[in-house]
Amino acid sequence: MTDALHIDVPHTDGTLAVIALSGEFDIAAAPTVRARALELITNGHPHLVADLAGVTFCDSSGLGALVGIWRCAKDADGSLTLAAIPDRLSRLLSVTGMDTFLAAFPSADAALAARQGNRTTA
C-alpha cells in the first residue's frame, strides 16, 4: 500500500508561501504538487518554501517536479527553497547535482527566517 501524498499550505505572507508535503512524492503525486505550486506562484507567491519533512519516498518524477517548480518560480522572479529534506532525498539531490542550485534549510522555520532576513536587507 502506498503512502498517498498530502499537500498543505500552512503559511503565506506576501510573495512567500510554504508548501508542505507528506507521503510518497512519486509519479502519481508529482503533477498535483507541480500544479499546486504553480497555482501559488500565479497567485502572487513566487517565493516558495517546500517543507519536505513528511516525504517518505521521492522518485525521479518528484525530482523532476522540483526542477519544474524551481524554473517556474525563477521565471516569475521568485525562488524555491527546500526545507527539512529527508536523508534519502538529500542523497538524491546530491547525486543529481540539484543541491547546487536549490537552497536548503534544516526546517521550514529556518527557511522562513532566512527568507524574511533577505527581505529586510534587499
Side-chain angles (χ1 to χ4, degrees):
M1 183 169 189
T2 62
D3 184 13
L5 189 83
H6 296 278
I7 303 170
D8 190 22
V9 180
H11 178 89
T12 59
D13 180 19
T15 60
L16 178 66
V18 175
I19 184 168
L21 307 178
S22 60
E24 294 185 2
F25 192 8
D26 58 11
I27 193 168
T32 304
V33 173
R34 185 181 163 109
R36 183 66 178 116
L38 297 184
E39 179 183 297
L40 287 165
I41 292 168
T42 300
N43 289 332
H45 308 291
H47 297 285
L48 296 178
V49 173
D51 183 353
L52 304 170
V55 172
T56 57
F57 173 80
C58 183
D59 67 6
S60 60
S61 297
L63 290 174
L66 290 175
V67 171
I69 293 165
W70 172 72
R71 286 185 178 158
C72 290
K74 271 188 71 176
D75 288 347
D77 294 324
S79 61
L80 173 64
T81 301
L82 305 181
I85 305 168
D87 288 342
R88 291 186 70 184
L89 179 53
S90 180
R91 185 167 179 216
L92 283 174
L93 292 169
S94 176
V95 167
T96 59
M98 291 175 61
D99 62 340
T100 61
F101 61 88
L102 291 172
F105 289 87
S107 69
D109 287 342
L112 285 172
R115 182 69 207 153
Q116 289 168 342
N118 285 343
R119 216 185 310 171
T120 58
T121 58

